[in-house]
Amino acid sequence: MGHWWYRNIVEPGKLPLLLALGAFVLTFVVTRVITRLIRAGKGPFGNVTGAGGLHIHHVVPGVVLTVVGGFGLVASDRHAFGGGLFAVVFGIGAGLVLDEFALILHLHDVYWTEDGRKSVEVVVLTAALVGLILVGFSPFGVNDLTEGELQDRGTVISTVAGNFLLSLVALTKGKLRTAIFGVIVPVVALVGAVRLARPGSYWARRLYRRRPRARARSILRDYHHDRRWLRPGLAFQDWIGGRPDPTPSRVPDRR
């Protein structure tokens, strides 16, 4: 175990990345536990307020810690103690920031609404991508090249360009997660590029207009996909981040 740890984590300089990922995930979990306790009115915790009753969101100290940790990590030796320390600071800050990603996106406090689910989704996606890089995957499939191929600049450029193009096609087909993961794992980008586009995507609007059968198949596949995966996905997000508040029903305007 010690030999594996040194060869795969310490020697390649991945220890700061592992520490940052651990701090990131732990910070998100602790933050969600505390916010759910505050929401339920349990425990000794409460919202942080400033002068005049201003509610200070945890994204604020998160930004400060991310800046301090990021600049400190860049300036430090990743094999030294300082690199590990700043990596932890950066991970804590990133966890606080991305836990309120939806607030930044909407510029409104949507933490316990349906829009707030985006924060949980981004955190899970970020942790998964960093985990893939940690276990040895490199962006654009460069990790799949041999030593001889890595020395050939043309091979490296063509591999990066080809994988980027596949990810871009997957993105235009409305498959954001597939496109993002495809940057790290080329086969994922390939699958997203060859499969049917989602109905509302740029690809479908431009290329399926005169192909009614392809458009119909796209709509049908999208329906079956959402029917199979949407409810389990939402249940998973609720288990991690808490169930959003119910949306109040609109009262019809009788004027």
Side-chain angles (χ1 to χ4, degrees):
M1 180 64 181
H3 178 70
W4 178 91
W5 173 265
Y6 183 80
R7 284 291 302 275
N8 295 277
I9 301 297
V10 178
E11 188 178 29
K14 291 183 178 180
L15 183 57
L17 182 61
L18 177 61
L19 292 173
L21 177 60
F24 172 77
V25 173
L26 183 61
T27 299
F28 171 74
V29 171
V30 171
T31 302
R32 281 285 164 167
V33 169
I34 292 175
T35 54
R36 292 171 77 166
L37 288 174
I38 294 174
R39 184 191 191 193
K42 300 178 180 179
F45 306 103
N47 292 322
V48 179
T49 56
L54 176 66
H55 174 56
I56 300 177
H57 292 272
H58 48 267
V59 68
V60 176
V63 169
V64 175
L65 292 175
T66 303
V67 172
V68 172
F71 279 109
L73 189 57
V74 171
S76 302
D77 182 0
R78 60 182 179 178
H79 293 279
F81 174 79
L85 177 62
F86 282 117
V88 171
V89 173
F90 176 81
I92 295 173
L96 293 173
V97 170
L98 292 189
D99 184 56
E100 293 201 309
F101 172 82
L103 181 149
I104 301 172
L105 180 64
H106 293 277
L107 293 179
H108 183 63
D109 190 357
V110 293
Y111 197 85
W112 294 119
T113 69
E114 287 292 328
D115 290 330
R117 293 182 185 273
K118 295 184 181 68
S119 297
V120 179
E121 187 172 354
V122 167
V123 167
V124 173
L125 185 64
T126 302
L129 289 173
V130 176
L132 286 174
I133 295 174
L134 187 63
V135 298
F137 287 92
S138 298
F140 304 114
V142 178
N143 55 289
D144 295 328
L145 300 181
T146 64
E147 291 295 331
E149 290 173 330
L150 286 172
Q151 294 176 5
D152 184 355
R153 184 175 298 178
T155 301
V156 175
I157 293 175
S158 61
T159 300
V160 171
N163 195 33
F164 177 78
L165 181 61
L166 290 175
S167 297
L168 186 62
V169 171
L171 182 62
T172 61
K173 287 189 171 184
K175 303 174 182 181
L176 177 61
R177 299 181 193 88
T178 302
I180 294 175
F181 278 108
V183 173
I184 307 297
V185 185
V187 67
V188 176
L190 177 62
V191 171
V194 299
R195 289 175 65 86
L196 283 170
R198 294 183 71 90
S201 66
Y202 175 83
W203 186 283
R205 293 196 306 268
R206 299 286 295 181
L207 300 179
Y208 291 172
R209 287 186 301 176
R210 299 182 181 180
R211 299 173 58 193
R213 292 184 61 183
R215 185 168 63 250
R217 287 174 56 209
S218 173
I219 294 173
L220 183 62
R221 177 172 291 180
D222 189 63
Y223 168 76
H224 286 302
H225 177 275
D226 287 347
R227 186 178 181 182
R228 177 180 299 175
W229 297 109
L230 183 60
R231 185 172 294 179
L234 294 179
F236 178 69
Q237 290 182 12
D238 292 345
W239 178 73
I240 295 177
R243 186 184 297 274
D245 292 328
T247 304
S249 57
R250 287 188 174 184
V251 178
D253 191 354
R254 301 184 182 275
R255 288 183 297 174

PDB file of all heavy atoms in Angstrom, residues 226-243:
ATOM      1  N   ASP A 226     -35.969  10.558 -19.790  1.00  0.00           N
ATOM      2  CA  ASP A 226     -36.409  11.313 -18.629  1.00  0.00           C
ATOM      3  C   ASP A 226     -37.317  10.472 -17.730  1.00  0.00           C
ATOM      4  O   ASP A 226     -37.258  10.570 -16.496  1.00  0.00           O
ATOM      5  CB  ASP A 226     -37.152  12.577 -19.071  1.00  0.00           C
ATOM      6  CG  ASP A 226     -36.201  13.624 -19.630  1.00  0.00           C
ATOM      7  OD1 ASP A 226     -34.984  13.478 -19.442  1.00  0.00           O
ATOM      8  OD2 ASP A 226     -36.678  14.574 -20.280  1.00  0.00           O
ATOM      9  N   ARG A 227     -38.152   9.638 -18.350  1.00  0.00           N
ATOM     10  CA  ARG A 227     -39.045   8.785 -17.566  1.00  0.00           C
ATOM     11  C   ARG A 227     -38.259   7.779 -16.731  1.00  0.00           C
ATOM     12  O   ARG A 227     -38.648   7.456 -15.604  1.00  0.00           O
ATOM     13  CB  ARG A 227     -40.008   8.062 -18.506  1.00  0.00           C
ATOM     14  CG  ARG A 227     -41.090   7.261 -17.789  1.00  0.00           C
ATOM     15  CD  ARG A 227     -42.029   6.619 -18.780  1.00  0.00           C
ATOM     16  NE  ARG A 227     -43.079   5.881 -18.102  1.00  0.00           N
ATOM     17  CZ  ARG A 227     -44.023   5.188 -18.732  1.00  0.00           C
ATOM     18  NH1 ARG A 227     -44.041   5.159 -20.064  1.00  0.00           N
ATOM     19  NH2 ARG A 227     -44.940   4.537 -18.042  1.00  0.00           N
ATOM     20  N   ARG A 228     -37.140   7.320 -17.278  1.00  0.00           N
ATOM     21  CA  ARG A 228     -36.348   6.314 -16.577  1.00  0.00           C
ATOM     22  C   ARG A 228     -35.426   6.920 -15.538  1.00  0.00           C
ATOM     23  O   ARG A 228     -35.245   6.356 -14.455  1.00  0.00           O
ATOM     24  CB  ARG A 228     -35.521   5.525 -17.589  1.00  0.00           C
ATOM     25  CG  ARG A 228     -34.594   4.491 -16.961  1.00  0.00           C
ATOM     26  CD  ARG A 228     -33.810   3.765 -18.030  1.00  0.00           C
ATOM     27  NE  ARG A 228     -34.661   3.051 -18.952  1.00  0.00           N
ATOM     28  CZ  ARG A 228     -34.227   2.413 -20.043  1.00  0.00           C
ATOM     29  NH1 ARG A 228     -32.928   2.432 -20.321  1.00  0.00           N
ATOM     30  NH2 ARG A 228     -35.063   1.779 -20.830  1.00  0.00           N
ATOM     31  N   TRP A 229     -34.803   8.071 -15.861  1.00  0.00           N
ATOM     32  CA  TRP A 229     -33.720   8.582 -15.024  1.00  0.00           C
ATOM     33  C   TRP A 229     -34.041   9.853 -14.260  1.00  0.00           C
ATOM     34  O   TRP A 229     -33.323  10.192 -13.307  1.00  0.00           O
ATOM     35  CB  TRP A 229     -32.484   8.849 -15.889  1.00  0.00           C
ATOM     36  CG  TRP A 229     -31.929   7.626 -16.525  1.00  0.00           C
ATOM     37  CD1 TRP A 229     -31.970   7.283 -17.839  1.00  0.00           C
ATOM     38  CD2 TRP A 229     -31.256   6.545 -15.862  1.00  0.00           C
ATOM     39  NE1 TRP A 229     -31.362   6.084 -18.058  1.00  0.00           N
ATOM     40  CE2 TRP A 229     -30.916   5.601 -16.857  1.00  0.00           C
ATOM     41  CE3 TRP A 229     -30.905   6.301 -14.531  1.00  0.00           C
ATOM     42  CZ2 TRP A 229     -30.237   4.426 -16.550  1.00  0.00           C
ATOM     43  CZ3 TRP A 229     -30.239   5.134 -14.231  1.00  0.00           C
ATOM     44  CH2 TRP A 229     -29.908   4.209 -15.237  1.00  0.00           C
ATOM     45  N   LEU A 230     -35.075  10.616 -14.650  1.00  0.00           N
ATOM     46  CA  LEU A 230     -35.310  11.907 -14.015  1.00  0.00           C
ATOM     47  C   LEU A 230     -35.672  11.753 -12.541  1.00  0.00           C
ATOM     48  O   LEU A 230     -35.079  12.410 -11.680  1.00  0.00           O
ATOM     49  CB  LEU A 230     -36.420  12.664 -14.756  1.00  0.00           C
ATOM     50  CG  LEU A 230     -36.720  14.081 -14.239  1.00  0.00           C
ATOM     51  CD1 LEU A 230     -35.474  14.948 -14.344  1.00  0.00           C
ATOM     52  CD2 LEU A 230     -37.865  14.707 -15.018  1.00  0.00           C
ATOM     53  N   ARG A 231     -36.617  10.877 -12.242  1.00  0.00           N
ATOM     54  CA  ARG A 231     -37.039  10.722 -10.842  1.00  0.00           C
ATOM     55  C   ARG A 231     -35.927  10.175  -9.956  1.00  0.00           C
ATOM     56  O   ARG A 231     -35.698  10.714  -8.862  1.00  0.00           O
ATOM     57  CB  ARG A 231     -38.279   9.831 -10.776  1.00  0.00           C
ATOM     58  CG  ARG A 231     -38.857   9.703  -9.361  1.00  0.00           C
ATOM     59  CD  ARG A 231     -40.188   8.984  -9.373  1.00  0.00           C
ATOM     60  NE  ARG A 231     -41.203   9.771 -10.077  1.00  0.00           N
ATOM     61  CZ  ARG A 231     -42.461   9.363 -10.241  1.00  0.00           C
ATOM     62  NH1 ARG A 231     -42.829   8.180  -9.772  1.00  0.00           N
ATOM     63  NH2 ARG A 231     -43.321  10.127 -10.871  1.00  0.00           N
ATOM     64  N   PRO A 232     -35.195   9.109 -10.362  1.00  0.00           N
ATOM     65  CA  PRO A 232     -34.072   8.671  -9.517  1.00  0.00           C
ATOM     66  C   PRO A 232     -32.996   9.736  -9.342  1.00  0.00           C
ATOM     67  O   PRO A 232     -32.398   9.860  -8.269  1.00  0.00           O
ATOM     68  CB  PRO A 232     -33.521   7.451 -10.275  1.00  0.00           C
ATOM     69  CG  PRO A 232     -34.654   6.970 -11.096  1.00  0.00           C
ATOM     70  CD  PRO A 232     -35.422   8.189 -11.490  1.00  0.00           C
ATOM     71  N   GLY A 233     -32.751  10.516 -10.412  1.00  0.00           N
ATOM     72  CA  GLY A 233     -31.754  11.573 -10.307  1.00  0.00           C
ATOM     73  C   GLY A 233     -32.157  12.644  -9.313  1.00  0.00           C
ATOM     74  O   GLY A 233     -31.330  13.111  -8.511  1.00  0.00           O
ATOM     75  N   LEU A 234     -33.433  13.032  -9.334  1.00  0.00           N
ATOM     76  CA  LEU A 234     -33.913  14.041  -8.387  1.00  0.00           C
ATOM     77  C   LEU A 234     -33.893  13.498  -6.961  1.00  0.00           C
ATOM     78  O   LEU A 234     -33.569  14.231  -6.018  1.00  0.00           O
ATOM     79  CB  LEU A 234     -35.331  14.478  -8.771  1.00  0.00           C
ATOM     80  CG  LEU A 234     -35.472  15.225 -10.103  1.00  0.00           C
ATOM     81  CD1 LEU A 234     -36.933  15.580 -10.366  1.00  0.00           C
ATOM     82  CD2 LEU A 234     -34.613  16.487 -10.129  1.00  0.00           C
ATOM     83  N   ALA A 235     -34.241  12.217  -6.809  1.00  0.00           N
ATOM     84  CA  ALA A 235     -34.209  11.612  -5.475  1.00  0.00           C
ATOM     85  C   ALA A 235     -32.781  11.580  -4.929  1.00  0.00           C
ATOM     86  O   ALA A 235     -32.549  11.820  -3.738  1.00  0.00           O
ATOM     87  CB  ALA A 235     -34.795  10.199  -5.531  1.00  0.00           C
ATOM     88  N   PHE A 236     -31.813  11.303  -5.805  1.00  0.00           N
ATOM     89  CA  PHE A 236     -30.409  11.300  -5.396  1.00  0.00           C
ATOM     90  C   PHE A 236     -29.962  12.696  -4.970  1.00  0.00           C
ATOM     91  O   PHE A 236     -29.277  12.864  -3.955  1.00  0.00           O
ATOM     92  CB  PHE A 236     -29.544  10.780  -6.538  1.00  0.00           C
ATOM     93  CG  PHE A 236     -28.072  10.785  -6.254  1.00  0.00           C
ATOM     94  CD1 PHE A 236     -27.527   9.921  -5.313  1.00  0.00           C
ATOM     95  CD2 PHE A 236     -27.227  11.659  -6.924  1.00  0.00           C
ATOM     96  CE1 PHE A 236     -26.165   9.921  -5.043  1.00  0.00           C
ATOM     97  CE2 PHE A 236     -25.863  11.663  -6.664  1.00  0.00           C
ATOM     98  CZ  PHE A 236     -25.337  10.791  -5.724  1.00  0.00           C
ATOM     99  N   GLN A 237     -30.368  13.713  -5.728  1.00  0.00           N
ATOM    100  CA  GLN A 237     -30.020  15.089  -5.374  1.00  0.00           C
ATOM    101  C   GLN A 237     -30.663  15.488  -4.043  1.00  0.00           C
ATOM    102  O   GLN A 237     -30.030  16.160  -3.230  1.00  0.00           O
ATOM    103  CB  GLN A 237     -30.468  16.033  -6.485  1.00  0.00           C
ATOM    104  CG  GLN A 237     -29.678  15.905  -7.773  1.00  0.00           C
ATOM    105  CD  GLN A 237     -30.126  16.903  -8.825  1.00  0.00           C
ATOM    106  OE1 GLN A 237     -30.868  17.839  -8.535  1.00  0.00           O
ATOM    107  NE2 GLN A 237     -29.694  16.692 -10.040  1.00  0.00           N
ATOM    108  N   ASP A 238     -31.925  15.070  -3.829  1.00  0.00           N
ATOM    109  CA  ASP A 238     -32.600  15.391  -2.569  1.00  0.00           C
ATOM    110  C   ASP A 238     -31.918  14.710  -1.389  1.00  0.00           C
ATOM    111  O   ASP A 238     -31.828  15.268  -0.299  1.00  0.00           O
ATOM    112  CB  ASP A 238     -34.069  14.958  -2.633  1.00  0.00           C
ATOM    113  CG  ASP A 238     -34.879  15.790  -3.610  1.00  0.00           C
ATOM    114  OD1 ASP A 238     -34.390  16.858  -4.019  1.00  0.00           O
ATOM    115  OD2 ASP A 238     -35.989  15.365  -3.981  1.00  0.00           O
ATOM    116  N   TRP A 239     -31.419  13.483  -1.606  1.00  0.00           N
ATOM    117  CA  TRP A 239     -30.727  12.760  -0.543  1.00  0.00           C
ATOM    118  C   TRP A 239     -29.431  13.462  -0.160  1.00  0.00           C
ATOM    119  O   TRP A 239     -29.062  13.518   1.010  1.00  0.00           O
ATOM    120  CB  TRP A 239     -30.445  11.329  -0.995  1.00  0.00           C
ATOM    121  CG  TRP A 239     -29.687  10.516   0.005  1.00  0.00           C
ATOM    122  CD1 TRP A 239     -30.152  10.010   1.184  1.00  0.00           C
ATOM    123  CD2 TRP A 239     -28.307  10.130  -0.078  1.00  0.00           C
ATOM    124  NE1 TRP A 239     -29.143   9.319   1.844  1.00  0.00           N
ATOM    125  CE2 TRP A 239     -28.011   9.376   1.092  1.00  0.00           C
ATOM    126  CE3 TRP A 239     -27.299  10.331  -1.025  1.00  0.00           C
ATOM    127  CZ2 TRP A 239     -26.739   8.842   1.321  1.00  0.00           C
ATOM    128  CZ3 TRP A 239     -26.041   9.797  -0.789  1.00  0.00           C
ATOM    129  CH2 TRP A 239     -25.769   9.060   0.371  1.00  0.00           C
ATOM    130  N   ILE A 240     -28.761  14.029  -1.147  1.00  0.00           N
ATOM    131  CA  ILE A 240     -27.498  14.715  -0.878  1.00  0.00           C
ATOM    132  C   ILE A 240     -27.727  16.115  -0.311  1.00  0.00           C
ATOM    133  O   ILE A 240     -27.169  16.487   0.724  1.00  0.00           O
ATOM    134  CB  ILE A 240     -26.648  14.812  -2.161  1.00  0.00           C
ATOM    135  CG1 ILE A 240     -26.219  13.423  -2.633  1.00  0.00           C
ATOM    136  CG2 ILE A 240     -25.415  15.684  -1.928  1.00  0.00           C
ATOM    137  CD1 ILE A 240     -25.440  13.446  -3.929  1.00  0.00           C
ATOM    138  N   GLY A 241     -28.533  16.892  -1.009  1.00  0.00           N
ATOM    139  CA  GLY A 241     -28.648  18.307  -0.670  1.00  0.00           C
ATOM    140  C   GLY A 241     -29.898  18.722   0.065  1.00  0.00           C
ATOM    141  O   GLY A 241     -29.992  19.855   0.529  1.00  0.00           O
ATOM    142  N   GLY A 242     -30.877  17.835   0.196  1.00  0.00           N
ATOM    143  CA  GLY A 242     -32.125  18.210   0.838  1.00  0.00           C
ATOM    144  C   GLY A 242     -33.207  18.512  -0.181  1.00  0.00           C
ATOM    145  O   GLY A 242     -32.930  19.025  -1.266  1.00  0.00           O
ATOM    146  N   ARG A 243     -34.442  18.209   0.188  1.00  0.00           N
ATOM    147  CA  ARG A 243     -35.563  18.420  -0.721  1.00  0.00           C
ATOM    148  C   ARG A 243     -35.907  19.910  -0.817  1.00  0.00           C
ATOM    149  O   ARG A 243     -36.007  20.595   0.210  1.00  0.00           O
ATOM    150  CB  ARG A 243     -36.786  17.636  -0.249  1.00  0.00           C
ATOM    151  CG  ARG A 243     -37.976  17.670  -1.212  1.00  0.00           C
ATOM    152  CD  ARG A 243     -39.154  16.937  -0.601  1.00  0.00           C
ATOM    153  NE  ARG A 243     -38.842  15.534  -0.388  1.00  0.00           N
ATOM    154  CZ  ARG A 243     -38.988  14.594  -1.313  1.00  0.00           C
ATOM    155  NH1 ARG A 243     -39.459  14.926  -2.524  1.00  0.00           N
ATOM    156  NH2 ARG A 243     -38.692  13.347  -1.049  1.00  0.00           N
TER     157      ARG A 243
END
